[in-house]
Amino acid sequence: MSRAFDAIVIGAGQAGPALAGRLSDAGMSVALIERKLFGGTCVNTGCMPTKALVASAHAAHIARRGGDFGVDIGGAVGVDMARVKARKDKVVHDARGGVEAWLKSMQRCTVFQGHARFESPTEIRVGEELLSAPRFFINVGGRALVPDMPGVDSVQTLTNTTILALDTLPHHLVIVGGSYIGLEFAQMYRRFGAQVTIVEKAPRLVAREDEDVSQAIHTILEAEGIALRLGAECIRLRPSGDDIAVGVTCEVGEPEVIGSHVLLAVGRRPNTDDLGLDRAGVAVDERGYIRVDERLRTSVDGIWALGDCNGRGAFTHTAYNDFEVVAANLLDHEPRSVSQRIDAYALYIDPPLGRVGMTESQALKAGHRLRVGKRPMTRVGRAVEKGETQGFMKVVVDADSDAILGAAILGVGGDEAIHAILDAMAAARTAGGLQRTMHIHPTVSELIPTLLGELRP
Ligand SMILES: Cc1cc2nc3c(=O)[nH]c(=O)nc-3n(C[C@H](O)[C@H](O)[C@H](O)COP(=O)(O)OP(=O)(O)OC[C@H]3O[C@@H](n4cnc5c(N)ncnc54)[C@H](O)[C@@H]3O)c2cc1C
């Protein structure tokens, strides 16, 4: 006998709890199943712990730079990793508790803790319990990809999850992967005082960004003493006494880097391999992402997939937006689709990179005739006042329609300032329209109209 519900949500990540709330408020009986930690990746092993650690690293960095601001620290700056970890753990613990309490307070929602596996398109098993429903919402997220690289099983490596348990400083942290997750850990551990080397297969960091963005990030990280080994085409691992040797084979430099710890940050994979999707008949693509349409419906009627597991986004805000799209279509009869949203995200090195829309090279590839505005942060008053002038801001505009196609703000406050451009794009404002908007002084955002007044072919 199965226990029947109106709707079953699998995963308490960034879409599931909010959706459970809306379904419950709409009068449905809801089961929410979570196998591990309430709040999922973002709260427990992703955004929140990393941004809490980035904040500690920033404090250490600014303390070391105290003299630049006329502030004497009166001795060497020390970082107590146990206290850094305890602060991070509290941020995570409080947020996780908040999600759990919220879910358990929902009127018509029953929370099950255990691993969910489909038995059929309308039934799912959690431990001894068999649950059934006419509607399923899959929000199972993803996990770190452990690549099949030579020697990976011969040494102990870290992922974004296991590195969070460290409460001591690695002597030398080698990070395999020079993209978003790897760079955040690289800079924070360097600021905590570790020797850090990034080993990256591609010839440049964050290769999805424009070359000038990659180059500026390279300069920022190198200036802090992070060693960069790019174009590492033959990465392999082997034990070396108590340490780990990471084979690099770059054209320049030693063929191996010897690290005390190795973090693998080479991508993510969806948690769809152990969900019994074949029994439900839900189709996945060649990388395991659940195939969905614009409204996040899977190949099976009555089953939706939201968040990282559908391959349509890899962020907390995309997962939450997935919830909004599904809820709008299902409960509000408002036709919304994921293709309506504009790509936007941030990379939380310091200074952060805020990104929206197309990169310049994507816009060129798409056939646009461009006008581009670019300004170094050394010419942004707010950045000068704060003594944080690394990076630049750049906006890409269609020369024919004056539509804003995309922007990058790599600089102090870039993660916030980018929203001025995102919101203008969402409101379909032209570059000329945004240029005429009065912004507040002194801010980073106030230079956006100036930037738009300096567009060049
Ligand atoms: C180091 C790191 C830093 C990040 N920083 C940022 C950032 O700054 N900003 C940002 O926007 N994004 C960031 N992200 C990405 C962000 O964390 C994810 O995009 C987001 O958490 C995706 O949410 P989700 O709801 O799809 O899945 P998740 O949050 O992963 O939640 C899925 C849940 O499903 C549960 N689950 C899985 N399988 C089952 C099963 N079979 N049965 C029951 N439960 C199951 C899991 O236990 C998990 O709790 C970061 C990620 C990492 C790894």
Side-chain angles (χ1 to χ4, degrees):
M1 273 292 286
S2 63
R3 278 176 74 177
F5 293 87
D6 293 325
I8 296 178
V9 178
I10 310 159
Q14 295 305 306
L19 186 61
R22 280 297 313 273
L23 295 167
S24 158
D25 287 349
M28 293 190 205
S29 59
V30 180
L32 182 136
I33 311 165
E34 171 52 55
R35 72 176 173 189
K36 217 168 168 196
L37 300 172
F38 293 101
T41 305
C42 182
V43 167
N44 297 288
T45 58
C47 338
M48 293 200 80
T50 53
K51 268 81 257 184
L53 293 173
V54 163
S56 289
H58 183 250
H61 180 67
I62 289 295
R64 285 188 197 107
R65 284 193 56 209
D68 293 351
F69 301 89
V71 176
D72 285 328
I73 298 293
V77 173
V79 177
D80 180 342
M81 287 304 288
R83 276 164 56 209
V84 167
K85 177 176 179 293
R87 175 182 179 275
K88 176 266 294 175
D89 286 346
K90 177 165 173 16
V91 170
V92 169
H93 176 268
D94 291 353
R96 179 165 65 228
V99 176
E100 180 171 2
W102 176 34
L103 280 169
K104 293 187 172 167
S105 71
M106 285 176 196
Q107 225 185 351
R108 280 169 283 273
C109 180
T110 309
V111 175
F112 293 85
Q113 286 183 258
H115 182 97
R117 204 182 293 268
F118 279 99
E119 298 269 326
S120 76
T122 55
E123 290 168 309
I124 203 152
R125 181 167 295 285
V126 197
E128 298 297 303
E129 298 250 28
L130 187 62
L131 316 180
S132 66
R135 297 172 200 84
F136 282 87
F137 302 93
I138 306 172
N139 177 220
V140 290
R143 60 186 185 274
L145 175 77
V146 176
D148 188 20
M149 60 178 51
V152 73
D153 295 327
S154 69
V155 294
Q156 211 180 352
T157 54
L158 298 164
T159 64
N160 69 281
T161 301
T162 52
I163 197 172
L164 296 173
L166 293 185
D167 62 2
T168 54
L169 192 67
H171 167 64
H172 181 182
L173 176 64
V174 180
I175 299 179
V176 180
S179 204
Y180 306 90
I181 291 175
L183 297 192
E184 290 181 9
F185 279 109
Q187 192 186 43
M188 77 173 73
Y189 269 94
R190 180 69 195 135
R191 290 179 170 191
F192 291 149
Q195 189 184 336
V196 174
T197 302
I198 298 172
V199 175
E200 165 58 51
K201 198 162 65 172
R204 61 187 174 95
L205 298 172
V206 278
R208 252 180 275 163
E209 304 299 338
D210 282 331
E211 283 205 42
D212 52 0
V213 171
S214 291
Q215 189 48 54
I217 291 173
H218 188 123
T219 306
I220 289 166
L221 297 181
E222 217 165 35
E224 293 194 26
I226 294 171
L228 296 167
R229 301 295 303 271
L230 307 179
E233 279 168 3
C234 187
I235 303 170
R236 61 201 178 279
L237 306 170
R238 69 171 180 85
S240 171
D242 286 344
D243 292 330
I244 302 169
V246 182
V248 180
T249 323
C250 298
E251 282 168 19
V252 183
E254 292 295 315
E256 281 186 334
V257 183
I258 309 293
S260 59
H261 296 69
V262 172
L263 168 68
L264 298 177
V266 292
R268 311 267 305 157
R269 57 177 292 196
N271 289 326
T272 52
D273 48 339
D274 51 6
L275 194 54
L277 288 176
D278 48 336
R279 293 197 175 189
V282 172
V284 296
D285 70 13
E286 55 293 339
R287 294 191 302 152
Y289 289 99
I290 298 174
R291 290 188 191 279
V292 288
D293 67 11
E294 295 294 287
R295 295 182 181 192
L296 305 176
R297 294 172 292 203
T298 69
S299 55
V300 177
D301 262 0
I303 304 184
W304 289 256
L306 303 85
D308 282 11
C309 68
N310 66 24
R312 293 295 188 102
F315 299 100
T316 283
H317 46 278
T318 49
Y320 190 80
N321 185 253
D322 283 1
F323 143 66
E324 293 179 321
V325 167
V326 169
N329 285 292
L330 204 66
L331 302 173
D332 305 331
H333 308 292
E334 184 196 342
R336 280 179 68 172
S337 88
V338 286
S339 57
Q340 290 164 333
R341 67 190 179 206
I342 298 166
D343 280 344
Y345 53 87
L347 162 63
Y348 289 92
I349 55 163
D350 174 40
L353 168 70
R355 277 271 301 111
V356 61
M358 291 191 222
T359 62
E360 185 177 350
S361 63
Q362 282 169 345
L364 279 173
K365 268 195 208 119
H368 293 276
R369 210 164 58 80
L370 299 184
R371 295 205 303 147
V372 177
K374 198 167 164 183
R375 169 173 282 256
M377 296 304 284
T378 47
R379 292 180 56 220
V380 174
R382 188 71 174 133
V384 174
E385 290 150 12
K386 288 187 165 182
E388 299 186 48
T389 53
Q390 290 168 311
F392 63 86
M393 48 208 292
K394 167 163 120 171
V395 62
V396 178
V397 172
D398 184 290
D400 300 305
S401 65
D402 202 35
I404 305 168
L405 300 175
I409 303 182
L410 173 64
V412 62
D415 53 331
E416 299 289 347
I418 198 74
H419 285 85
I421 299 178
L422 172 59
D423 291 342
M425 288 172 72
R429 294 207 75 193
T430 59
L434 179 55
Q435 190 196 337
R436 285 187 284 276
T437 306
M438 183 186 75
H439 281 196
I440 296 167
H441 174 78
T443 58
V444 172
S445 309
E446 76 175 320
L447 268 301
I448 292 170
T450 313
L451 192 62
L452 291 167
E454 298 170 345
L455 298 175
R456 299 273 174 276

